[in-house]
Every structure is written in C-alpha cells, then in structure tokens.
Amino acid sequence: MTSLADKFASRLAQLTPFGKRDDDPLTSLKTATRWLEKLPVGAAFKCQEAILGALRRFNENSSQYTKDRLAIFMMLDEKSRDLQDTLVLQYLRNPRMSRQVESRLWHAVYGLYWEIARGYHAFVLHLSRDAGKATQEEPIPLITLRAIRAFGQLLKWHAIRYLPPGEKLWLRLHNLYRIAESGGFKRQSQLAYPDDTAPCNCETAYLHTLMLDLANTGTLYPKQLDLVDRWLCCCHGMLRLDDQFDENAHNFTID
C-alpha cells in the first residue's frame, strides 16, 4: 500500500521544473553531451526528432539566459546540422513522395529551424537589451548571425511549400539586422558554424535572404529554389547594403 508521503513525493517529482532532473539532457553541458552520444546511429529522422523535442522544451521552459544554457543550446544546434541536412536531401530528392511523407518531412525540417531561430532570437534580445551592450557581449555577433540564417531558412521553407511567409518572420529578421547594425558588427566576418567552409557576416546573411525572396516567383520547384539558395552563397562578396540611396549604384531599397 502506498503511503501518503510516497504519493506526495511522486506528485512533487512530476511538478519538478524542466532542467532539474539528473537524467535531463539540458541539465548541463556534460549531460547533454552524454545524451547526444546515446542517440541511435543511422536513424536520422529519429535523432533529429529527439533533438527537436529537446530544443522545443528548452525554449518553452527557458527563463534563464546564462552562458551555460546558451552553450547547451548552441551544441544541440551544431549536432543537429548533419541530421537536418539528411532530411532536407530526402525531401528535395523525392518529389513524388506521398502527401503524408511530404508533410512529415516538411514539418520536421521546418520545426527544427523554428526552434533554432526562436532560441537564438530570445538570447539576442536578452543580451542586447541595454544600449551599447551588443558591442560588449562576445557571443552576440555569432548568435545574431545564426539567428538571421535560421530565419532565412524559415522563409525559404515557406516558399518551398508555396506558403505565404508571414509578417512576423520578416519583422524578426529585420529587427535582428537592426541589432547587428546598431551594435556595429553587421560586417564582422566569422564562421557561423565550425564546419562552414567560408566566413560570413550578418549583412550578407540578411541580404542573402532578401535576394532569395526576389528570386522566388512562386513558380520554382523546391529543388530549383534550393539551387538558387546555393548559388547565392557564391555572390556574398557582391552583396552590400548602404545607408544612403544612390540611383546610379543601387538596384533595390528596403525601408
């Protein structure tokens, strides 16, 4: 027979805040590393789904913006990249897949990009809240760049499924660039991820998304849109956003 004390202890354990259990992957960087190492090898969808779930719980229960929590979030983001690339390839290479499979893959890919964008966006807003703090906080340029790229992917995957992008996505993207501009690091060259082959900056990442949107006529197949996205990576050196309009030099403007 279960005692009243045992029942109370069991109920208390259910109410324990996320991140306090010893077996929770987000308790610490060490715990998260061990958890990632135990994910099944060769099961891309299952592993991506597990990391997506962890990132979602991280964002839904996050009230502390510490360096340790940011380090955990960044590691989960980095570890998810190969898995995400695998699912993206599956989606783009199988245009004749069933509607159910297409929906499942799209929501998995989009869901991960959303949680990554959502998490970095929250950290950027928190760290740059005070005037002038953006230039003093070392991680802000990097996480702002990652956030801009993640929002760019969200807009791309809206286009891939012929969905309207939504005003909120654009507003958040514009605001992230504004933070980079006001913080003085919009052209700070850096590797967004350790496995990147070339450095990037917030300005080129922002302009990359704007140019992809210009190229999106609503008639491109998903694979064609992805190809344009890859081509734009070769044009980063030619992309530049100036403060003043020059009709002899500029082709597009943004308010």
Side-chain angles (χ1 to χ4, degrees):
M1 182 175 180
T2 306
S3 67
L4 183 60
D6 291 336
K7 288 181 178 179
F8 179 76
S10 176
R11 181 61 180 160
L12 185 63
Q14 294 175 8
L15 296 174
T16 301
F18 175 77
K20 298 298 183 182
R21 303 191 312 270
D22 290 338
D23 61 340
D24 195 298
L26 305 186
T27 303
S28 67
L29 194 61
K30 186 180 292 186
T31 307
T33 302
R34 287 200 301 264
W35 177 76
L36 287 167
E37 290 173 351
K38 292 179 181 178
L39 291 177
V41 178
F45 189 89
K46 208 174 226 182
C47 294
Q48 192 263 16
E49 190 176 39
I51 295 178
L52 171 57
L55 289 171
R56 183 179 292 121
R57 290 186 296 118
F58 183 100
N59 287 328
E60 290 174 352
N61 296 277
S62 180
S63 59
Q64 297 178 344
Y65 299 96
T66 64
K67 288 184 178 180
D68 289 341
R69 286 185 65 79
L70 177 58
I72 293 171
F73 186 88
M74 294 177 74
M75 183 179 69
L76 291 174
D77 171 27
E78 291 166 9
K79 295 296 183 182
S80 71
R81 283 169 56 78
D82 285 343
L83 302 169
Q84 184 80 326
D85 288 345
T86 299
L87 298 191
V88 167
L89 284 175
Q90 287 180 12
Y91 186 97
L92 295 174
R93 289 178 177 177
N94 295 281
R96 298 182 183 275
M97 59 188 152
S98 69
R99 195 169 184 177
Q100 183 179 6
V101 172
E102 184 275 338
S103 178
R104 191 181 182 196
L105 270 176
W106 186 90
H107 280 93
V109 170
Y110 186 87
L112 185 63
Y113 282 135
W114 167 244
E115 295 303 334
I116 291 170
R118 177 186 175 194
Y120 283 131
H121 183 255
F123 271 102
V124 170
L125 292 184
H126 175 78
L127 294 175
S128 62
R129 185 169 297 164
D130 298 332
K133 194 173 182 181
T135 57
Q136 299 169 10
E137 291 287 350
E138 185 179 343
I140 282 195
L142 178 58
I143 64 176
T144 303
L145 175 58
R146 288 191 181 187
I148 288 173
R149 285 177 47 161
F151 275 104
Q153 286 299 318
L154 289 175
L155 291 162
K156 170 186 170 180
W157 280 82
H158 267 270
I160 277 178
R161 221 180 188 208
Y162 308 103
L163 298 172
E167 186 180 358
K168 288 185 178 179
L169 286 180
W170 279 113
L171 288 176
R172 289 180 179 180
L173 177 65
H174 297 326
N175 188 47
L176 284 166
Y177 176 73
R178 182 192 61 80
I179 290 173
E181 190 174 60
S182 61
F185 57 84
K186 66 177 183 178
R187 290 176 183 158
Q188 179 178 325
S189 184
Q190 55 190 327
L191 286 174
Y193 291 92
D195 58 348
D196 278 0
T197 56
C200 187
N201 61 58
C202 292
E203 183 181 77
T204 53
Y206 176 62
L207 287 171
H208 181 119
T209 300
L210 296 180
M211 295 299 291
L212 185 62
D213 183 62
L214 286 172
N216 176 30
T217 61
T219 60
L220 295 177
Y221 292 118
K223 202 168 183 179
Q224 291 175 320
L225 193 63
D226 181 69
L227 186 59
V228 173
D229 185 27
R230 295 177 186 277
W231 281 346
L232 281 170
C233 292
C234 303
C235 304
H236 282 183
M238 297 182 284
L239 300 177
R240 190 177 181 90
L241 187 62
D242 294 321
D243 297 333
Q244 301 296 323
F245 175 67
D246 180 356
E247 62 180 6
N248 296 317
H250 298 134
N251 296 313
F252 305 103
T253 61
I254 180 167
D255 184 353

